[in-house]
Structure formats: structure tokens, C-alpha cells
Amino acid sequence: MTPEQSTWFAETFDALVSNVGLALLGKEHTVRLALTAMVAEGHLLLEDAPGTGKTSLAKALAATVQGSHHRIQFTPDLLPSDVTGVTIYDQSTHRFEFHPGPIFASVVLADEINRASPKTQAALLEVMEEGQITVDGVTHPVGRPFMVIATQNPIEQAGTYRLPEAQLDRFLIKTSLGYPDRASTIEILAGAKDRTTNLAPRITTQAVGTLADLAQTVHIDEVVLDYVARLTEATRDDSQTAIGASVRGGLALVRTAKVWAAAAGREYVIPDDVKDLAQPVLAHRLLLDSEAEFAGVTAVEILGRILETTAPPAVRVG
């Protein structure tokens, strides 16, 4: 990435954040994380109470990049074919035709994903990892960009299925929106309408692909890679974790750090990029041991301690 390209990247990224921010007031940091996940070609998990703007975020992202948007309400009776699509025999042509499901969109909102059965949840594994769906032995790509924004309600857990670790590991970032501050709430109440309705696109879906390709060219020094490796190893060695971050978690941290650096107008990653993203990228990948969980310890607290005790590189990079 050249300095000119990094400047264009940062200006474009800021314009996207501002545009989505017109629909989601007072949530700039969360919007930046969501766009980071999109440009890094990953997926976002939101754990939030109802009515905090999760649907608005998905619609605003799709509108901003001139993409399509589908919402899937996950329920216990939802079937895998209700998500992926189904092959139906057409009597007029005497051929089987594939009818795509709602997963074929630029931004897919998987609402309350933990209410669906594990079988239906598993239907997302292939498309989230490989960007394609296989039905009756035929592969169907979903296109680019493709992003799943899944939601979980942290309060009402009756009738839900806990996401397995393999599924959690597919989400690049986990975060929450939370409620807006009072000033933003007043502004929302004054409008009392869907702010995503008239949101104008700022770039095309093809330009999102250009951003993604550029982000991969951001330089990351070996000492920063060593820092990422030490952080992930520390999560596995911690006495309060049963399972720490895998190599996939380390790769996710590198991918997002490159986007974060480019969004700041840099052609290289610095340790602060890694520190900024460690919690939203790694926390949901940790499985705590039973004693720590019983004591009320959280993965965020463990990561905070690891970041304090794991020294970042002392040398200047870039």
C-alpha cells in the first residue's frame, strides 16, 4: 500500500463511518468495528438487548455500500434450507432449479441466532468460512462483499442453544451496541422514524472489494506478529481458561489490525492496533474453566490482564 492509497483508504473509511452514523447515533466505535469486520471480509456477532439498533446497523451498512440486505429471524423450527435455499423440480422444464435462500445478500442479519437448532446453525458454517453454499452437491457462491451480522439476547436465555466454539470462532468480531447516550436518545425520539430509509450509498460493493484487497497489503512487522503470537499463547496458558484463542484467532487479529491501521491512514500495523482489537476479536474465543466461570470472571477481564502483563514490542515499526 502506497501513502496515497492509505490516505484514500482512511478518507473512504471515515466517510463510510459517518454515513452509517447518520442512522446509528452516538455509536461511532461500534460502527468502526462493524466496518472493520466487513472490509476484513469477516462476520460480526452482537450480544445486546432488544431495541438497541442491531437491525438499523445491518440495514445502514448495506445501504452505505449499495448492497442488498436480508433479515432472517432464527427460531427453533427454522430449517437449514430456509436459510440456504432449496432445489425444486420444475415440471415445465423437467429440470431441477435452485431457489436461493435469504443468505444470498451483501449483509445478512441473523437475528437471535442462538434460538435456532444446532443443525440450522451449522448451515452457516460453510458460507461464513468459504463464501459459498453447497446444495445437492452443487456449489453456489454468495458474492462479495458478504457479511453475517448475528445477534444474541444476553438476558432471555430460555429456549436457546448455546453457540458451539466452532461457530463462535467463525465470527471475526464480537461486540455490543448498548443504549445511546441521552443527547442521541433525544435526537432519535425527535425524529421518531427509520433513519436508514433515505440513507444514500457512499461507495459500491466493488469498491468494498478494493478496500479489502488494499488492506491485505498493509505491512505488519515480524515483531508485531510475535506480539500477536504471545498474546494468543497467553490466553491458552492462563490458569482461568479451559480453551484459549486458536491460530485462527491470531489470524483474525492480524486481518483486523491491518484494516484498523489503514483506516488510520497508515501503511503499517503498530502494537496499539493489536491492543485496540484484542478484546473484540479474541474474547469470544476463550472458554473459561468452571471455577472461573462460577466466580464471575469474564473473558474481557482475562484479556485485560494479559494485555497488561504481555509487553508490546519496544522497537518502532513501520
Side-chain angles (χ1 to χ4, degrees), residues 166-181:
Q167 183 91 39
L168 283 170
D169 217 23
R170 295 301 197 281
F171 287 101
L172 192 66
I173 289 175
K174 179 184 177 184
T175 187
S176 62
L177 282 165
Y179 293 108
D181 56 38

Side-chain angles (χ1 to χ4, degrees), residues 125-154:
L125 291 177
E126 180 188 10
V127 69
M128 290 176 68
E129 185 72 16
E130 301 174 32
Q132 63 184 32
I133 288 291
T134 303
V135 178
D136 294 333
V138 180
T139 298
H140 307 273
V142 293
R144 191 186 190 201
F146 170 71
M147 180 184 186
V148 173
I149 300 179
T151 71
Q152 289 188 129
N153 184 346

